Amino acid sequence: MTQLVIEGHGVSVTLDPGRTYRMGRDPGSDVVVTADRVSRTHAVLRFEGGQWIVEDAGSRNGTYVSGHRIQRVVVGPGTRIGLGDPSEGGIMTFRAAQPQTPPQAPVTTPRRTPVATPPQAPPQASPQAPLQAPPPRSAPPRSAPPHSAPLRSAPPREPGRRPSGPGYAAPQQQPAQASPAYGGGATVRFPRTGQWREPAAVRNLTGAQVVRIGRAPENDMVVTDLRVSRRHAELRITGGVHEIVDVGSRMGTYVNGRRVQQARISPNDLIGIGPSTFQLVGDTLTEYVDTGEVCLQAHDLTVTVEGGKVLLDHVTFPVGEKCLLGVIGPSGSGKSTLLRALTGLRPADQGIVTYDGRDLYRDYAELRSRIGLVPQDDILHSQLTVRRALIYAAELRFPDDTRQHERKARVDEVLQQLGLENRKDNRISSLSGGQRKRVSVALELLTKPSLLFLDEPTSGLDPGLDKSVMQMLRGLADDGRTVAVVTHSVANLDICDRLLVMAPGGKIAYFGPPAEALPFLGFTDWADVFLAFDDPARDWAAEYARSSPYQEYIAADLIKPVGMRQPVQRELPPKQQSWPEQLSTLVRRYCRGIVADRLFLGITVALPIVMGLLARVVPTGNLMGPPNSNGNAANLLLILCIGGCLTGAANAVRELVKERPIYQRERAVGLSRSAYLCSKLLVLGLITVAQGIVLTYVAMLNVKTYDKGVFTAPLTELSLAVALLSFTAMTVGLLISAVAKTSETTMPLLVLVTLIQLVFCGALVHLDGKPVMEQLSWLVPARWALAALAGTLDVGQLIPHVQDPPDPLWSQDFGTWILDMSVLAALAVVCAFLVARMLRRHEPAVMRGK
């Protein structure tokens, strides 16, 4: 057996064959190498099969021997390896140890506990004492600003990337061992995912019966992330049997990706709580935290729609940690479809997406909160200030046991991170396009996602703002997350680490460093590339699949999943808040937005007054005369009906279509559809009912009527009928808004619906006894409202009838009046139900079951 010494960068470590050594820039590494291009955890050194092995641990810049990038290599005396660079920087050499070396020789003793060493509890540690997490280490700054950083010649590597190449044999997986002292755990590989992780906390279970896990400081293991409930879960130990029990958390407790209320735990099981994963390791419970440095891989993604049209055609590529991926391609090449498939919002029909080795589609309920998506349209309520909008978003995205000061602190942290602290009190509508996009990104960063996807974030921005947004994304990736951006702009692609070029038909034309894209495609200008895509004779995907860039940037980096996706019943993501809490947040946000929009507020107040005054202009005659004495008696009722229809429908006709991007994104992160609809019905309903009452009182001012209507004062009955009509018309307006594709199409539909109300209300055309027309009028709210109004004033007896008798629905009796009002209310319920169904059509596919 050869005993080696590794030397370089002021480090000299005599290697013990019984240990496993972690090499990297992290000060906690066993062999600390401080060169700029060295990753925090760069490589692992172990003694295996009678020889020393160096294995790259997913480093960004690679490990080199004799100028060649390697994944796994045998080392011995005289071997030189380059960490991050083949010729300079992290050069380390190996030599044979000299037994006669004096004790005072400069030897650095490794600080980490060896992986193979069984855990020993320190004598002074109490089994029940919680172990506190150390402060998170911040990543060192890049050697150059994000916008001027040179493109890397080697692809970014994922943590725990499986070695490949001739002669490689996968090492035998051993159960991970961790030190019982906090921070003493060695970097280990998860047996289920193959990914490297360093323990964030370790809890000794000796003598423990219950280990409480949650955000509150009194828990035995504290997870400070706001997505975790204050009392989240308990690990209960009875007779050597371990059970995890969810104690009413909002985000849920997961075992191997499946949400559980109570489940038995074995050492091979992974317990998911917020961003943390827990695993039994011997007599300890070890916590691993998703800090954002994760890899994403697409394997054979295919999407086909009705008619057999293929939107994605066997798309496969890897994205490493801290990587900024740019996605470009002509219109119709499947970019947005790819984005929805990668985020899980619209799973691919075939293929699998892995999140650090885990099936994203299968474990979507657990992993959803770790993925952020910024759609092309701003997901902002423009009437609100920046900080207020973020606070409401935090209320919807964090559990309802999160305290207000905790949410505000997280909002202020994000504002500072994105440089928006000076704009926090500005109304969003007053911001520039680039600043609004930053606020949209801030909404997603509230939950600290490890993956961030953006769809056309620079659309409509000038070149300066375009560059500013891309530099922001570069910085977000450098901070420790994977960022993918779909864009049509090619001006700042050099900022990206990787570029994915999509060809028509949803195929990959190129994947690799941006600097190599144009030479590979055979052009000098992107416009020529997009024009060349129109040539149906050229098979772009086949050319790339046969190329060396495919082997270097996809085949060499791809980690084959344990098994391709099997048909499973996907779990729906949980709601972060209870239904009443969501409703409260939505109502308060909606009311604040209305109050902030002074133009809308002014129109809301003035509209019923103006329409009531217009009703006074129309002559109504004597409403207290003898029978057949007033042919104009129905004019006033017609004005009241049309006024109620217009005020109600006009309030709501654009409400849903203008908020559709906001609703779709919030629905994807757990918003309740019924809570959203109820907030609209409640706020708009109160406004509309108040407008109906004001309209009635203004229109009936100084108009003499009989002292009693059907059962009470006429003015009261008239107000009830107009208010209910306005509310029903408001639900009709919501239905129009839910059906319309754009805001521009809502006004023609509003005009059409108003004309239908006018014709079929019964004031202009006698409908009783006329086939088809009478039946159609039953679906028109104004028909029943006019009948209730006519019954209150007994208008049927005031209008002269030469041939047709009075409409029986106008009869002044209690039963008929209740029938009119009941049908009117039933139409409102039916419209609200249809609105809910239409909302479902616009939701992400993954949420349509809720």
Side-chain angles (χ1 to χ4, degrees):
M1 179 187 300
T2 302
Q3 190 171 20
L4 288 181
V5 176
I6 183 172
E7 294 178 329
H9 287 268
V11 174
S12 178
V13 179
T14 301
L15 302 179
D16 180 0
R19 300 176 62 94
T20 296
Y21 296 84
R22 185 163 59 94
M23 307 165 62
R25 198 179 65 248
D26 191 327
S29 299
D30 302 305
V31 180
V32 180
V33 184
T34 57
D36 290 338
R37 294 177 62 84
V38 176
S39 299
R40 293 173 64 82
T41 299
H42 196 103
V44 176
L45 177 63
R46 64 166 62 90
F47 192 77
E48 184 176 295
Q51 54 191 1
W52 284 98
I53 303 294
V54 172
E55 180 179 342
D56 190 275
S59 66
R60 172 176 291 275
N61 297 310
T63 303
Y64 298 84
V65 174
S66 301
H68 300 286
R69 185 167 184 169
I70 58 93
Q71 177 60 34
R72 177 180 168 92
V73 69
V74 177
V75 296
T79 303
R80 288 168 53 91
I81 63 172
L83 303 182
D85 192 275
S87 59
E88 59 183 19
I91 302 297
M92 305 295 291
T93 60
F94 293 86
R95 65 173 176 82
Q98 301 296 328
Q100 67 274 20
T101 301
Q104 64 270 23
V107 177
T108 301
T109 303
R111 299 168 54 187
R112 291 288 183 185
T113 303
V115 173
T117 303
Q120 300 291 332
Q124 69 276 17
S126 170
Q128 278 75 30
L131 298 166
Q132 301 299 324
R137 304 184 183 99
S138 58
R142 292 165 59 92
S143 58
H147 58 277
S148 61
L151 290 169
R152 300 165 177 79
S153 59
R157 299 282 181 172
E158 298 84 7
R161 177 190 182 283
R162 290 184 180 175
S164 60
Y168 168 70
Q172 181 179 1
Q173 295 295 330
Q174 300 292 335
Q177 301 291 335
S179 169
Y182 180 83
T187 301
V188 298
R189 190 195 299 263
F190 280 1
R192 286 184 176 269
T193 65
Q195 306 304 313
W196 291 95
R197 284 290 178 266
E198 180 181 357
V202 180
R203 169 77 186 189
N204 194 321
L205 301 179
T206 305
Q209 294 181 339
V210 178
V211 176
R212 296 178 297 273
I213 305 173
R215 196 178 75 251
E218 59 268 18
N219 288 286
D220 300 308
M221 297 194 78
V222 179
V223 183
T224 58
D225 194 279
L226 294 184
R227 290 168 286 180
V228 178
S229 298
R230 296 184 63 80
R231 293 184 67 250
H232 198 105
E234 293 179 351
L235 181 68
R236 299 175 183 174
I237 307 169
T238 306
V241 177
H242 298 76
E243 283 188 332
I244 190 70
V245 179
D246 188 278
V247 291
S249 69
R250 278 291 169 198
M251 293 294 293
T253 302
Y254 299 83
V255 176
N256 302 326
R258 314 308 294 173
R259 188 174 186 181
V260 299
Q261 293 299 321
Q262 184 171 352
R264 188 170 177 174
I265 301 301
S266 67
N268 289 329
D269 293 326
L270 302 181
I271 306 170
I273 296 178
S276 297
T277 300
F278 297 84
Q279 187 176 20
L280 291 175
V281 181
D283 293 329
T284 64
L285 180 64
T286 307
E287 177 190 3
Y288 305 89
V289 178
D290 184 346
T291 58
E293 297 184 4
V294 299
C295 61
L296 181 76
Q297 300 203 349
H299 301 266
D300 198 39
L301 299 184
T302 302
V303 174
T304 306
V305 295
E306 294 181 4
K309 182 179 181 181
V310 178
L311 301 183
L312 286 183
D313 191 358
H314 301 283
V315 173
T316 298
F317 63 91
V319 186
E321 62 183 43
K322 292 187 178 181
C323 179
L324 176 57
L325 169 68
V327 182
I328 64 172
S331 299
S333 58
K335 300 186 298 297
S336 297
T337 303
L338 174 63
L339 203 63
R340 291 194 294 270
L342 293 176
T343 56
L345 294 180
R346 199 291 187 190
D349 302 321
Q350 175 185 326
I352 186 174
V353 177
T354 59
Y355 176 105
D356 248 13
R358 301 177 61 180
D359 186 340
L360 175 64
Y361 296 159
R362 183 194 62 206
D363 299 347
Y364 180 76
E366 178 186 352
L367 301 177
R368 176 196 61 174
S369 64
R370 309 184 192 184
I371 301 173
L373 172 63
V374 180
Q376 181 175 353
D377 298 317
D378 289 332
I379 47 176
L380 306 167
H381 289 85
S382 59
Q383 302 88 357
L384 302 178
T385 63
V386 172
R387 190 168 186 269
R388 179 57 57 183
L390 294 179
I391 288 175
Y392 284 131
E395 289 185 17
L396 292 173
R397 299 189 181 207
F398 292 131
D400 45 15
D401 65 351
T402 308
R403 295 172 179 171
Q404 187 72 359
H405 72 85
E406 293 176 310
R407 291 192 291 264
K408 290 182 178 179
R410 178 58 189 153
V411 167
D412 292 338
E413 180 184 347
V414 171
L415 289 173
Q416 183 177 8
Q417 180 181 2
L418 293 179
L420 292 170
E421 61 270 20
N422 294 330
R423 303 285 184 179
K424 64 181 180 180
D425 295 323
N426 290 19
R427 187 178 294 187
I428 294 175
S429 59
S430 67
L431 300 179
S432 66
Q435 291 168 342
R436 285 198 301 271
K437 192 58 64 177
R438 284 178 180 266
V439 179
S440 295
V441 173
L443 287 177
E444 298 303 311
L445 293 186
L446 289 173
T447 55
K448 300 182 179 180
S450 300
L451 301 177
L452 182 62
F453 297 88
L454 302 97
D455 190 5
E456 298 286 354
T458 61
S459 177
L461 302 183
D462 61 55
L465 292 177
D466 184 318
K467 186 173 185 178
S468 174
V469 171
M470 293 298 292
Q471 288 176 349
M472 174 190 67
L473 300 181
R474 176 71 265 173
L476 292 176
D478 292 334
D479 284 343
R481 61 179 56 85
T482 297
V483 181
V485 52
V486 173
T487 179
H488 281 298
S489 174
V490 297
N492 298 286
L493 295 179
D494 58 331
I495 291 178
C496 300
D497 296 300
R498 287 289 174 268
L499 180 64
L500 174 64
V501 182
M502 299 293 293
K507 299 179 181 180
I508 294 182
Y510 172 80
F511 177 83
E516 301 176 16
L518 284 174
F520 172 82
L521 295 171
F523 295 92
T524 59
D525 185 79
W526 283 110
D528 295 332
V529 174
F530 281 34
L531 289 174
F533 280 147
D534 293 333
D535 181 7
R538 185 169 179 180
D539 192 342
W540 299 88
E543 290 181 16
Y544 179 70
R546 294 190 298 265
S547 67
S548 58
Y550 175 86
Q551 297 298 324
E552 182 177 0
Y553 302 122
I554 293 185
D557 282 355
L558 206 63
I559 304 174
K560 184 178 180 180
V562 176
M564 294 305 287
R565 188 173 121 205
Q566 301 295 325
V568 294
Q569 183 177 1
R570 298 182 58 193
E571 291 189 34
L572 295 173
K575 298 182 178 69
Q576 288 86 338
Q577 287 187 318
S578 64
W579 192 91
E581 289 290 337
Q582 285 196 1
L583 179 62
S584 172
T585 299
L586 293 170
V587 167
R588 287 184 286 109
R589 182 177 68 180
Y590 194 15
C591 290
R592 186 177 285 270
I594 290 175
V595 172
D597 190 347
R598 296 185 178 181
L599 178 61
F600 176 81
L601 192 62
I603 294 175
T604 300
V605 173
L607 183 61
I609 298 176
V610 173
M611 297 195 71
L613 294 175
L614 291 176
R616 300 299 306 277
V617 177
V618 179
T620 59
N622 185 8
L623 297 181
M624 298 178 62
N628 299 324
S629 63
N630 189 352
N632 296 322
N635 291 341
L636 176 62
L637 305 187
L638 179 61
I639 295 297
L640 287 176
C641 281
I642 298 305
C645 290
L646 279 175
T647 54
N651 286 340
V653 74
R654 290 187 176 181
E655 199 59 38
L656 300 182
V657 66
K658 74 177 183 181
E659 290 187 357
R660 187 165 295 160
I662 301 174
Y663 172 72
Q664 288 174 336
R665 183 59 193 139
E666 291 182 342
R667 179 74 176 126
V669 297
L671 178 67
S672 168
R673 182 194 310 137
S674 59
Y676 177 77
L677 179 56
C678 284
S679 70
K680 298 297 182 185
L681 294 174
L682 184 60
V683 176
L684 283 177
L686 289 176
I687 293 174
T688 300
V689 166
Q691 288 179 317
I693 294 174
V694 171
L695 168 63
T696 304
Y697 272 81
V698 173
M700 296 299 295
L701 188 64
N702 294 328
V703 175
K704 294 182 179 181
T705 62
Y706 290 106
D707 294 336
K708 187 176 181 180
V710 175
F711 66 95
T712 185
L715 192 56
T716 301
E717 292 183 13
L718 294 175
S719 299
L720 289 174
V722 175
L724 184 54
L725 171 63
S726 299
F727 183 88
T728 305
M730 182 265 295
T731 62
V732 174
L734 287 176
L735 183 58
I736 294 174
S737 190
V739 172
K741 293 185 177 181
T742 62
S743 296
E744 290 73 17
T745 59
T746 58
M747 296 313 295
L749 290 175
L750 176 62
V751 173
L752 175 62
V753 169
T754 303
L755 289 176
I756 292 174
Q757 302 276 352
L758 179 64
V759 172
F760 286 93
C761 68
L764 302 179
V765 180
H766 189 81
L767 299 171
D768 181 48
K770 294 186 177 181
V772 181
M773 290 192 64
E774 181 180 11
Q775 285 70 38
L776 289 176
S777 71
W778 294 346
L779 303 176
V780 176
R783 169 82 161 103
W784 302 97
L786 184 70
L789 295 173
T792 294
L793 299 178
D794 201 13
V795 172
Q797 300 300 320
L798 294 178
I799 300 177
H801 299 281
V802 179
Q803 295 179 348
D804 298 323
D807 194 318
L809 293 179
W810 291 13
S811 176
Q812 192 180 41
D813 65 81
F814 185 75
T816 303
W817 192 87
I818 288 297
L819 173 64
D820 296 336
M821 297 291 285
S822 298
V823 174
L824 194 57
L827 288 174
V829 173
V830 170
C831 287
F833 173 78
L834 294 176
V835 171
R837 300 302 297 176
M838 295 304 299
L839 281 175
R840 183 178 180 274
R841 293 180 55 188
H842 299 293
E843 294 172 357
V846 70
M847 299 299 294
R848 290 179 184 171
K850 298 186 75 173

